[in-house]
C-alpha cells in the first residue's frame, strides 16, 4: 500500500520529481551563489507568526503535493505557514509563490533535542499544491542509500551568509562535498556526536550551511539528471558556520524512508 501512496504523491501533474524546468547553474567550485530563479522549486521557507507578521525560521523540502520535509528542531508551539515558490525572501508578492498553512505537523516520535537524534519532521499542507515551474517536489533517495566521500552535494537556503550576519534575501546555493562517516566521526572532527543516520558535508574551511538554513535540503543529482534530497540541515559548529573539521551535519533522509512512508500512509 505504501508504495502506491508515494506513487500517488508524485504522479500529480506533468512534473516528475526532482526535474526543475529551470535547471540550477551548478559548478564544482566551492562557494555560495545566488541561485537561478525557480531552479530549486522544492525549496520552501518555513515561517512563524509574530503579531500580524510572519518571519522566516527554517527551510524545508516539498516531497509531494501535500508534504514538506523539515527538521524537528525547527518546530515549536508557534503558528506556522509554508511559503512555496519563493526566490526573494523579502518580496511579498512574487509571481508563482504561495503561502499555505499546515494541516498537521508530525515530529519524529524519537526526536532527542539534547543529543540531536532523529532531527526530522513532516508537515502536511492544508491544501494540496499544484505543481508549476516554480513549485515542484524533490525526489526521495532509495532507502539506505549512502553518498560516497566527496560526492558533490548542494545546500540551499536563505541562511545567514556569515556567522551573525543577516538572512540572505535571494535564495543561495553552495557546493558541499560529502564527508564520509569514517572521517566525520574522527575524534578531532565530530566524534560520536555524529551517527549513521546523519550525513556530513562541507567543512574544512569551506562553505557550510548556517543559521536560517536549518530544515532545508542537501541536494544531490542522480545519474538520470533528477535531484534527490539526501539531507535535512540539522546542526553545525558553535565556533562558526565555516570551521575546519566541523562540516555541516544533516539528517540522512535515506535512513528515514520507511518512517516517511508510514507517516504519509497514516495521515
Amino acid at each position: 500500500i505504501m508504495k502506491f501512496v508515494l506513487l500517488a504523491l508524485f504522479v500529480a501533474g506533468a512534473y516528475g520529481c526532482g526535474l526543475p524546468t529551470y535547471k540550477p547553474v551548478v559548478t564544482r567550485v566551492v562557494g555560495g551563489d545566488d541561485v537561478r530563479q525557480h531552479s530549486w522549486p522544492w525549496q520552501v521557507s518555513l515561517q512563524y507568526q509574530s503579531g500580524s507578521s510572519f518571519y522566516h525560521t527554517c527551510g524545508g523540502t516539498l516531497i509531494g503535493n501535500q508534504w514538506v520535509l523539515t527538521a524537528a528542531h525547527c518546530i515549536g508551539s508557534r503558528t506556522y505557514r509554508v511559503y512555496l515558490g519563493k526566490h526573494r525572501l523579502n518580496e511579498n508578492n512574487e509571481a508563482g509563490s504561495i503561502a499555505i498553512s499546515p494541516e498537521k505537523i508530525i515530529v519524529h516520535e524519537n526526536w532527542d533535542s539534547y543529543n540531536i537524534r532523529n532531527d526530522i519532521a513532516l508537515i502536511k499542507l492544508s491544501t494540496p499544491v499544484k505543481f508549476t515551474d516554480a513549485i515542484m517536489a524533490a525526489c526521495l533517495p532509495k532507502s539506505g542509500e549512502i553518498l560516497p566521500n566527496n560526492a558533490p552535494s548542494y545546500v540551499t537556503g536563505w541562511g545567514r551568509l556569515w556567522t551573525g550576519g543577516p538572512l540572505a534575501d535571494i535564495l543561495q546555493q553552495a557546493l558541499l562535498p560529502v564527508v564520509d562517516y569514517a572521517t566525520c566521526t574522527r575524534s578531532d572532527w565530530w566524534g560520536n556526536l555524529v551517527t549513521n543516520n546523519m550525513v556530513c558535508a562541507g567543512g574544512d574551511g569551506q562553505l557550510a550551511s548556517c543559521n536560517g538554513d536549518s530544515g532545508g535540503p542537501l541536494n544531490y543529482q542522480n545519474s538520470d539528471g533528477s535531484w534527490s534530497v539526501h539531507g535535512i540541515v540539522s546542526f553545525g559548529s558553535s565556533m562558526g558556520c565555516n570551521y575546519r573539521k566541523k562540516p555541516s551535519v544533516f539528517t540522512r533522509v535515506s535512513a528515514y524512508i520507511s518512517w516517511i512512508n508510514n507517516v504519509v500512509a497514516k495521515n
Side-chain angles (χ1 to χ4, degrees):
I1 291 172
M2 285 161 199
K3 281 181 188 165
F4 294 120
V5 170
L6 274 186
L7 193 62
L9 276 174
F10 294 123
V11 294
Y15 296 93
C17 69
L19 290 167
T21 304
Y22 304 102
K23 290 181 171 49
V25 180
V26 293
T27 65
R28 297 295 164 91
V29 177
V30 175
D33 299 296
D34 293 357
V35 310
R36 179 184 188 187
Q37 190 161 4
H38 303 322
S39 60
W40 306 101
W42 42 86
Q43 172 81 46
V44 310
S45 167
L46 179 63
Q47 304 185 348
Y48 67 92
Q49 187 171 17
S50 179
S52 59
S53 300
F54 279 87
Y55 300 93
H56 174 86
T57 181
C58 277
T61 308
L62 188 68
I63 58 165
N65 65 355
Q66 208 167 355
W67 289 95
V68 168
L69 199 57
T70 190
H73 81 260
C74 290
I75 304 301
S77 55
R78 293 163 148 161
T79 298
Y80 294 97
R81 72 179 182 185
V82 174
Y83 225 125
L84 306 107
K86 292 291 294 163
H87 180 62
R88 297 194 83 115
L89 198 54
N90 301 318
E91 185 78 45
N92 287 327
N93 299 309
E94 274 188 305
S97 67
I98 184 172
I100 302 179
S101 59
E103 179 183 305
K104 56 175 70 173
I105 300 177
I106 299 108
V107 172
H108 196 286
E109 59 279 7
N110 294 324
W111 160 232
D112 175 353
S113 59
Y114 182 76
N115 294 301
I116 321 179
R117 302 288 188 257
N118 305 303
D119 191 7
I120 186 171
L122 276 166
I123 299 171
K124 186 180 186 185
L125 302 174
S126 55
T127 52
V129 68
K130 184 170 178 282
F131 291 156
T132 66
D133 291 347
I135 300 171
M136 212 176 293
C139 302
L140 290 171
K142 293 188 190 79
S143 183
E145 186 178 353
I146 305 279
L147 294 177
N149 192 52
N150 233 21
S153 55
Y154 293 82
V155 68
T156 50
W158 292 274
R160 303 180 196 285
L161 300 174
W162 61 87
T163 309
L167 290 174
D169 177 38
I170 295 174
L171 184 62
Q172 301 288 302
Q173 67 185 40
L175 168 63
L176 298 188
V178 169
V179 177
D180 65 16
Y181 179 74
T183 304
C184 200
T185 52
R186 287 180 189 164
S187 58
D188 55 335
W189 286 62
W190 277 114
N192 60 10
L193 192 58
V194 162
T195 74
N196 240 331
N197 291 345
M198 300 173 187
V199 182
C200 301
D204 219 16
Q206 300 170 353
L207 281 183
S209 53
C210 204
N211 313 79
D213 287 327
S214 280
L218 184 69
N219 305 280
Y220 179 76
Q221 191 167 29
N222 303 306
S223 55
D224 66 358
S226 65
W227 291 86
S228 294
V229 51
H230 271 265
I232 302 166
V233 178
S234 182
F235 66 90
S237 173
S238 60
M239 293 174 284
C241 298
N242 203 351
Y243 207 78
R244 286 196 77 242
K245 298 189 177 181
K246 292 293 179 282
S248 300
V249 183
F250 302 78
T251 305
R252 178 167 66 83
V253 176
S254 67
Y256 292 91
I257 299 298
S258 60
W259 181 82
I260 292 168
N261 288 348
N262 285 333
V263 169
V264 169
K266 285 178 184 166
N267 294 280

